[in-house]
Amino acid sequence: MLGWNALPRPRPLSLALQGGGAHGAYTWGVLDALLESGRFDFDGISGTSAGAMNAIVMAHGLASVAAGASRPRAAEAAREALASFWEALATQLPFDWLTGGDVSNPTLSPAARILMQWSQVLAPHQLNPLQLNPLRDVLERHVDFERLRRDSPVRLFIAATQANTGRLRLFRNAEMSVDVALASACLPTLHPAVLIDGEPYWDGGYSANPALFPLVQHARAPDLLIVLLSNPQHTATPTSVADIRLRALEIGFNAAFLREAVALGEACAQARHPTFVIGAQERRLVRLRFHLIDASDALGHLSAHTRMLPHRPFLQWLFEQGRARTRAWLAHEGCRVGQLGTVDLQALFACRSPATLDDGRRADELLAG
């Protein structure tokens, strides 16, 4: 195995990390393998919900080493930070009595099903009058937000949704806090809105899951790796009331990402065949290369309810799946980072390839807006 000194110069890479509750442990495995490889210099990270947690904890780990520390030491610190965070999350609550079934396909216990039913009829302040949130405790213990704001070597873009307007807000490095992390993962059926600057916020997945445009406009890496936990493409149409409800929720969480991915792919295509003089934004779009790690092969069989089960054996299984998938990606596609893109956003996500979007706006107008 090559040592760090024998590795080629790391390639700049930005990351877009999707949310997915407990399934975010898969992304933990992805990040662990990427950090272990030593191939990349991480530039910007856009994250939503569980993706935001992974982004924040990874950046905290990278920032936790002394200035001037070696690249392998920083990567190891980030790996340790991620492992510590997910281990703490798994042990914070007694999920053993909420979980049944096989480790690779857990089910809700009868008690957990009752709790889920209550969440459909009781408001968060009724279901949890003391407003207890174990995630807050884990974040406060495992992330030094002051140091993160001051020393993070990566640009962070954490998505949350303004509850009263539906608008996306992207929080950047100087704004990082426990409340920002919790806002990005605030499911309104389980937790009250998180107040930041007097504004209530819900889960960022309602408005960006994850956001791509900040990595185009504010990051510098020409390569962008998207980590998807929920593939928006299915082969079967749901028929039961419960399955229809879950599919509708999933569509809602994926809609903003799909629209943005198609718009970005179209904007890149337009920039490569310009009608007018190329400016700075067009040059940036021409240089962009996209890559994808899709968890659907490993997670496609799982019920949506398993996103609510941070049970230690399940999280470890997810982690191992993410690591294995990423090591395969590194072996077969990772060598193209810095040279060629490995995925076509339009071909992957668009129903068609028009020059304009359904509401008549051009793709570059959407990105600029």
Side-chain angles (χ1 to χ4, degrees), residues 15 187 199 205 238 282 346:
L15 303 172
L187 289 175
E199 289 284 342
E282 286 75 15
Q346 283 184 287

Side-chain angles (χ1 to χ4, degrees), residues 280-332:
Q281 178 170 291
E282 286 75 15
R283 287 194 295 272
R284 169 70 172 146
L285 291 170
V286 168
R287 294 176 60 237
L288 279 178
R289 296 180 289 264
F290 300 102
H291 312 274
L292 176 69
I293 291 179
D294 180 3
S296 58
D297 286 347
L299 310 188
H301 69 285
L302 295 174
S303 163
H305 293 308
T306 59
R307 297 170 187 162
M308 308 297 294
L309 294 176
H311 184 221
R312 180 188 287 175
F314 181 47
L315 295 183
Q316 187 63 36
W317 179 83
L318 290 165
F319 166 77
E320 291 168 357
Q321 294 297 310
R323 264 187 63 85
R325 174 67 183 89
T326 305
R327 295 184 74 174
W329 180 83
L330 287 167
H332 299 289

